[in-house]
Each structure stands twice: as C-alpha cells, then as structure tokens.
Amino acid sequence: MHLDPAKIPGYVKGQPPNQEIFRKISYMDELEAMWGRKWGAQSKVGKLSYAIVSPPSDNEESAEILEDPVFYGLPDGVRPNLEKMREQYKALVNVLLENGVELEEMEVPQYFMGPYCRNRMVWAPASAFVINGGAIVPRYGLAPWRKGLEVVIGRKLAAIGCPILYTVHGTGIMESGGNIFFLDPHHALIGIGPSGNEEGFEQVSHVLHRNGIKEIHKVVFTGDIHLDIVFGLADSRLGLVYPPGLDEKTLDYLNAKGIELVEVSDEEHKNSACNILALEPGKIIMVAGNPRASGILRRRGVEVIEVEMSEFVLAGGGPHCAVGCLIREPGPLLI
C-alpha cells in the first residue's frame, strides 16, 4: 500500500515527521481509526447502539447457593428458576435487537470459580463500563462470589477491540456500571456504599475528569447494593427514584439540576422498577409489573417497553444490570 500524504498531518516529502503536530493530536481524534469504533457510552439516555449481554449460566442455580443462600445474598433462600431466567433473557435480547442494538455475548464458564468461591450474578455485565475512549474495568467488593468477573469482562472487552483505559486496583472498590451514573456527558453521580469505597471513588474520579466529566456528585447509600437499584433516568430530565435509598444531598442535587423525580413505591422498588435501561431519550426497557411507575412515565411521554424479568429480580437486578453499554450517542445536555 502506497503512502497517502493527505492522511498524514504535516507531511512533507523527504522530511521526518513533524513531532510537534503529533503531540497536539488528541487520543480521541485517533480513536476510531486506531481502535475500530467510536467507543463511548458516557450517557444513560443517549441512543444505545452496541452492548454486551451475558446468558444466564448454571452458576445461578448452583448447589453452592442452595447449601448457603444467605452467604450468596439470598436471605430468603429463593433461587431464580434458571430455565425461566434463560427464556426471559432471550426476550430481553429480542427487544434489544428489534431496537437496532448490536450485541456481544460474554462467554462465562458454566462452573465459574473466582479466587474464593463459585460466582453468581455473572449474568450482569453492566460493569463492562465504557466512557469516552474506552473502558474502566471494575473491582468487585460486594461479596466473594462476585470477585473474578472483572477478569472475564476485561478479556471480553480486549477481544472485541475496546481499549482499557483503567483498571480499579489496590484496595479500591468500584462496581462501575451500577455505581457510576451519567446525568449527561459532563455530570456524573458516583455511589459510595456496599459496592464502592472512597479509594475506588478517587481512582475513577480522576479518570472521569480526564474524559469530559466536569462535575461529580458523591452519593452515599447503604440500603441497596448499587445506585441503579434506587435511581434510573428515562429521559435527560426525568427519572425514577426510591427516596429511602438516597441521601438528602443527592435528592437536592438532582432537583437542583432540574431533573423531575418520580417516586417509586416500596413494592415496585422490590420489583426493580428503578433499574431501567434507556434505548434512547424517552424510550426505555423496564421490568414488567410496575404499573404505577410505568403509568406515570407514559403520561410524561416516555415509551415504556415492559419485559418479564421476574427471575432477574430474584437474582438482584433488572435490565440495566443485564446490559453492558459500549457505545451510546451523547444524548441531551443538562446545561
């Protein structure tokens, strides 16, 4: 292949490359040419075009869970029905494909051992967390049966060509996809609680600031494992919230940003009502069986696609947990 001078900044035949020019070129300017795609999902409502999903595996109905359900985060001892969960997964995938989302499936061993014990919740790849330019690989801290999934996620991201910008390390904990929430490409919430600590907050904040985030609000919560269990965006200025799950400063912050908050009842909170996945502004996937919340959203002009995900709810999540967003449009700006 011959040299194309038009593609080389500052090219002059017979002279060495102009280093000063190349030192001023941004990584983002080279992203698609070098890494194959415009990687970035620095939004929660911008149109979703590319994502990772993970078929439910035998790990969700294991003998280990039955032997000690409390240890495995199931205090009532009720496990999801794996056959039913797989059918519900197929329905979710069909909705995503029907809405033009290109999908990658994550390959998880049917018997998946982390560093301490067999894992569960390996159906939840939302921690494949992609910001402008590439991914932040999480570090799990919620429970021993979550640790190790970050390795599978990291390998999958590398296999599909997504650059890894950062890996949470040291004693930092940040289960990225559920604990970092973009209000728009420049404003983010980061949760501190069962699945995110101060060191994890400091590590990811540094990376986000270098990738266009101008303002980060720290959310302190204790009652739920992830921020996306108590808060979800249906449009740039419309969200679902379970108020007991958030601190007052965060509720005040969201109100100050002009986001209308639809309060979710205790009953619908237990049915993962807040764990919504936006396909584009004003169009979401929601767990079926939340008539009050879905009704209010529809009256506000939101298109709500309800998907039966009762077994995912039993497992601790919903559509937001089950989809790792790789590429989204930026979506509307707050200001």
Side-chain angles (χ1 to χ4, degrees):
M1 182 179 293
H2 294 291
L3 209 65
D4 184 354
K7 293 183 177 180
I8 305 174
Y11 175 83
V12 177
K13 187 174 182 179
Q15 293 187 15
N18 186 326
Q19 293 184 357
E20 290 303 314
I21 289 178
F22 283 94
R23 286 173 180 156
K24 294 176 182 177
I25 295 175
S26 166
Y27 165 84
M28 294 299 295
D29 293 334
E30 298 175 338
L31 180 65
E32 187 172 14
M34 192 172 293
W35 292 94
R37 294 179 185 257
K38 290 184 178 179
W39 299 97
Q42 206 157 300
S43 169
K44 285 295 182 184
V45 297
K47 185 174 176 60
L48 178 63
S49 60
Y50 191 31
I52 288 180
V53 290
S54 182
S57 63
D58 291 352
N59 300 289
E60 308 306 323
E61 204 178 47
S62 69
E64 288 87 342
I65 296 175
L66 189 61
E67 183 178 342
D68 195 348
V70 175
F71 174 79
Y72 272 93
L74 300 170
D76 297 328
V78 181
R79 294 180 301 174
N81 179 299
L82 185 56
E83 182 178 352
K84 192 174 178 182
M85 194 177 194
R86 284 172 169 154
E87 289 302 313
Q88 292 176 356
Y89 168 80
K90 291 176 184 177
L92 174 64
V93 165
N94 285 338
V95 170
L96 291 165
L97 293 174
E98 288 167 2
N99 282 274
V101 182
E102 180 183 355
L103 295 178
E104 297 281 351
E105 279 200 331
M106 198 162 71
E107 301 83 21
V108 178
Q110 293 297 311
Y111 193 100
F112 179 46
M113 283 291 295
Y116 303 107
C117 57
R118 190 171 183 182
N119 277 36
R120 86 165 185 90
M121 287 191 76
V122 294
W123 55 266
S127 292
F129 188 74
V130 179
I131 61 176
N132 288 342
I136 297 175
V137 176
R139 183 166 185 263
Y140 291 100
L142 175 65
W145 41 264
R146 287 283 276 169
K147 288 181 175 290
L149 184 58
E150 54 262 63
V151 178
V152 179
I153 287 172
R155 287 174 178 166
K156 181 63 178 181
L157 291 168
I160 62 175
C162 180
I164 307 295
L165 299 181
Y166 193 80
T167 299
V168 180
H169 60 282
T171 56
I173 300 295
M174 189 54 63
E175 301 188 7
S176 312
N179 257 12
I180 304 176
F181 210 98
F182 297 118
L183 301 179
D184 76 354
H186 305 301
H187 297 79
L189 308 178
I190 300 181
I192 301 295
S195 50
N197 64 8
E198 290 287 349
E199 184 177 339
F201 176 88
E202 292 299 327
Q203 289 186 33
V204 299
S205 293
H206 175 74
V207 181
L208 294 181
H209 279 310
R210 293 184 64 86
N211 283 270
I213 295 296
K214 298 175 183 176
E215 188 172 286
I216 295 174
H217 174 80
K218 183 188 296 184
V219 182
V220 180
F221 62 102
T222 56
D224 286 275
I225 60 174
H226 291 131
L227 180 57
D228 63 0
I229 298 296
V230 297
F231 176 64
L233 273 182
D235 208 333
S236 61
R237 294 185 181 274
L238 179 62
L240 293 176
V241 67
Y242 180 62
L246 292 179
D247 58 285
E248 286 296 327
K249 288 184 179 179
T250 298
L251 293 172
D252 291 343
Y253 178 83
L254 293 171
N255 282 315
K257 293 299 178 188
I259 297 173
E260 180 186 356
L261 298 175
V262 175
E263 294 189 8
V264 168
S265 67
D266 290 346
E267 182 181 359
E268 294 195 349
H269 165 64
K270 292 175 183 176
N271 193 38
S272 294
C274 291
N275 198 258
I276 57 178
L277 177 75
L279 295 168
E280 59 187 69
K283 184 177 185 179
I284 65 167
I285 298 175
M286 185 181 199
V287 172
N290 294 301
R292 181 182 176 278
S294 62
I296 294 173
L297 291 180
R298 287 186 172 111
R299 289 194 291 274
R300 299 290 194 282
V302 176
E303 182 179 347
V304 180
I305 303 171
E306 296 188 65
V307 178
E308 180 57 56
M309 297 188 73
S310 57
E311 304 310 302
F312 289 84
V313 173
L314 280 177
H320 189 272
C321 296
V323 180
C325 300
L326 301 172
I327 298 179
R328 280 189 183 274
E329 293 178 1
L333 299 179
L334 281 180
I335 52 176

